[in-house]
Amino acid sequence: PGLAALRPSRWLPQPETRVMAWTVGGILVGALNPLGPRLLWFPVHLLGRSEALEDVIEWRSPSFDRPAEWAFLLLVFAFLVALRQGAPWRSLLPGFVFTVMALLAVRNLNVASLVLVFCAAPMLGRSSWFTLDGSARGFSSRVVAVVSVGIMALAAAVAILEGPLDLRRYPMDEVDWLAERDLVATDGVELVHREVVGNYLGLRFGSEARVFMDDRFDFYPMQVIDDHDALLRGGDYAEVLDRWSADVVLWEADSSFSAWLDEEVGWEIVAG
């Protein structure tokens, strides 16, 4: 009987093998972080925390009522056209996975859109409707180049003139008032606040902020999330404040919680 043999380089697709090797290496390097290998298990961990994310807009499925979401649908259509033209499995697999991720959570739309562009472009470039030929520089391509450079220059100018951060929507004056009296980022003082305020406190005071909650809903215990939701949407305010031994509250002045504080014995509105 005859014997046939092939070198591994003949039956292993070299581009895919290299990509897989870099991917595995990148995942292993990603374990070198403050959280350690536990971070690699984070996506699976989120599946058990769906109740903590159901009210977070960025973790909801897209409603397709915004231009960015319409653009994503166009990219999905382009991806399907590319598949019809015989796109290889190395385009099919990542395109399908990231499309599903984008349909599950709005926060995945940007990454999924980028992946779909790379998956669809090679096959669309073979169509008579499109071209990826860099030597073709017609009038339309020059217009696109000029407009792109103009948009980039405008974005750079805005970033330079306005600064890297816009903190005008945060309660900076109120936090200044509390900081002058050692009522924030101070040991022994329990401050209750909105999640968005927690982001500002973390930025301003760092590890000393003593944040009650910020917008990393997936990291906080359900009790904290439920109590924050009770203060935000209506609930047993007194029970929540007692549970966390609250000394100071920083909240919107025009909320039902603030109105309750104004009428409740033992609490005094001192700023705002």
Side-chain angles (χ1 to χ4, degrees), residues 31-33 35-42:
L32 303 177
N33 64 82
L35 294 177
R38 184 161 59 97
L39 185 63
L40 302 180
W41 189 251
F42 181 68

Side-chain angles (χ1 to χ4, degrees), residues 181-191 207-210 247:
R181 293 158 178 81
D182 293 328
L183 295 176
V184 61
T186 303
D187 289 340
V189 176
E190 300 299 332
L191 172 64
S207 60
E208 305 298 326
R210 296 181 59 84
D247 300 302

